[in-house]
Amino acid sequence: MYPFVNRQPSTVYNAPVKLFRGRLFTPIADPFVPGADVAATFRAWDDGFLAVGDDGHIDGLGAWGERPESSEITELGANVLIAPGFIDTHLHAPQLEMIGSYGGHLLEWLNRYTFPTEAQFSDPEHARVVARSFFDELLRNGTLCALIFSTIHREATDIFFTEAERRGFRGLIGKTMMDRNAPESLLEKVRDSYDQSRELLVEWHKRGLLRYAITPRFAPTSTPELLEAAGSLKREFPDAYVHTHISENRNEVRWVQELFPEAEYADVYDRYGLLDQRSVLAHGVHLTEEELSLLSERGSRIAHCPNSNLFLGSGLFPLHHVLDAGVVVGLGSDIGAGTTPSFFNAMADAYKVQQVQNVSLSPFHLWYLATLGGARALSLDAETGSLEPGKSADFLVLDLHATPLISMRSDRAAGLEDLLAGLSVMGDDRVVKQAWIGGRPVHTRA
Ligand SMILES: [Zn+2]
């Protein structure tokens, strides 16, 4: 079905290749494209091989009977599924420790819980402790790539990058920029915000697997001068990312109209040059038609965070309406308004948010959003997001017998679609037996 391909044919018989044997599944195309033949948007083998070259890239995959020669074979057994790693397109590292802080919608929640929590990151030791737990949790849950908010603190942001690099994690990280409508301890001068963001960008952007994201928190905590500074950074470094929030909650949208009466929310970012294909805007629950067509025109992405939208009561994301407008969508956990880093949960909540709007997403659609769709949202689909020759060997070994109940459900699954459906609603970190990035093990379940 999917023949062995080696990127360097001259060394096909000599290159050291590791083979992993197990059940395999990977999305390879977008099932949301109108008229898509969903069966052609993924590849799967009941008994397959994944060939990983010693450069950490995938050399091939296919049916076990078609495997290339290799002296290094890992037999994973019948009760695993080899699948691409999950890609979280929006979360906040410093909010890990405040998951489940209840009561209040977005704006009260920020003031009551988030800002006091983030203020603690002026202490580098605190940042170090949280950074270790943060990447432990992502890897334990099979998230192998993520777009991450830090706090306003330069040193804390440096610590998050350092920890990501130490783990071999594919991280897009940025120092939060904010200069109004927050406690004094979290406000910065525009010049400092610009200088510190620039220093971090120069230090970390495109260093190994890391990328820098220019990260104004959102319009309400930004003066026009701060957005101007963010925009001038973006002009200076056009291939850096922009990461912010948009239209999460109706009161927030009204507040932006008060603060920037001359423009709609998306126009505020656009007028400062902050919208292009490397701009990822979290939520977008309440966007107008004009805003959607502007985002589509600019190629900007939306990170849909269903768990967070439910927890904060922000609203129901109109997925197909946004996709139909031509906007690329990825999934995000939005820790800590989201209540778990698990992408099994992200898929399950994405399913439920569409169900109550009378749309049933198939497991293939959900797994696409959680993997290759996320890579597309982050413009990283040439490197990761699916198991395809030439891409980085970023994959998970999922245990179909992780718990008695998951075992029962997996064993009675009628086929691949049913297996993926069961996993997406029942899975959690116990299912993630191993995680690999660039052909290197980054997590093994205890
Ligand atoms: Zn967020």
Side-chain angles (χ1 to χ4, degrees), residues 13 26 44 46 50 64 79 86 110 120 187 210 227 242 244 278 288 340 353 362 376 378-379 393 399 408 415 431:
Y13 299 114
T26 181
D46 285 341
L50 179 70
W64 181 248
N79 299 314
F86 297 125
L110 283 172
Q120 297 176 62
L187 297 180
L210 303 172
L227 294 174
V242 172
T244 188
R278 290 184 178 233
T288 65
T340 166
V353 163
S362 82
R376 289 206 171 145
L378 300 182
S379 304
D399 181 357
M408 178 190 278
V431 170

Side-chain angles (χ1 to χ4, degrees), residues 190-318:
V190 171
R191 188 72 223 182
D192 294 341
S193 187
Y194 172 87
D195 287 345
Q196 293 179 12
S197 298
R198 193 181 186 286
E199 284 166 29
L200 287 160
L201 192 160
V202 168
E203 172 86 20
W204 292 105
H205 187 50
K206 297 194 287 189
R207 175 161 145 178
L209 300 183
L210 303 172
R211 304 284 188 279
Y212 193 82
I214 299 161
T215 309
R217 177 172 222 112
F218 65 157
T221 50
S222 309
T223 60
E225 294 72 28
L226 187 82
L227 294 174
E228 178 59 44
S232 74
L233 257 187
K234 176 67 180 166
R235 279 192 297 281
E236 204 179 336
F237 301 94
D239 68 352
Y241 288 80
V242 172
H243 186 195
T244 188
H245 298 89
I246 194 166
S247 283
E248 176 173 0
N249 162 297
R250 290 199 187 280
N251 288 337
E252 168 216 4
V253 173
R254 271 193 287 274
W255 193 19
V256 171
Q257 278 163 0
E258 285 165 29
L259 293 168
F260 299 89
E262 61 286 3
E264 281 198 298
Y265 205 154
D267 295 306
V268 174
Y269 295 136
D270 191 47
R271 76 170 53 177
Y272 296 103
L274 292 170
L275 296 183
D276 73 3
Q277 296 190 356
R278 290 184 178 233
S279 307
V280 181
L281 314 175
H283 305 301
V285 178
H286 306 287
L287 293 167
T288 65
E289 299 304 320
E290 292 75 19
E291 290 179 304
L292 283 170
S293 61
L294 175 64
L295 296 182
S296 168
E297 207 172 296
R298 298 286 183 262
S300 303
R301 322 304 207 198
I302 293 288
H304 169 39
C305 309
N307 180 311
S308 164
N309 294 164
L310 294 171
F311 185 75
L312 290 179
S314 301
L316 299 173
F317 182 69

Side-chain angles (χ1 to χ4, degrees), residues 3 6 22 89 101 133 222 225 300 308 365 409 427 429:
N6 193 292
T89 63
S101 299
S133 301
S222 309
E225 294 72 28
S300 303
S308 164
H365 289 81
R409 176 68 179 88
D429 57 320

Side-chain angles (χ1 to χ4, degrees), residues 15 41 91 93 99 116 135 138 191 212 249 272 283 344 360 387:
T41 64
L91 80 169
I99 288 175
F135 289 104
L138 290 193
R191 188 72 223 182
Y212 193 82
N249 162 297
Y272 296 103
H283 305 301
F344 295 106
S360 289
L387 307 179

Side-chain angles (χ1 to χ4, degrees), residues 90 92 245 283 334:
H90 176 69
H92 300 254
H245 298 89
H283 305 301
D334 194 22

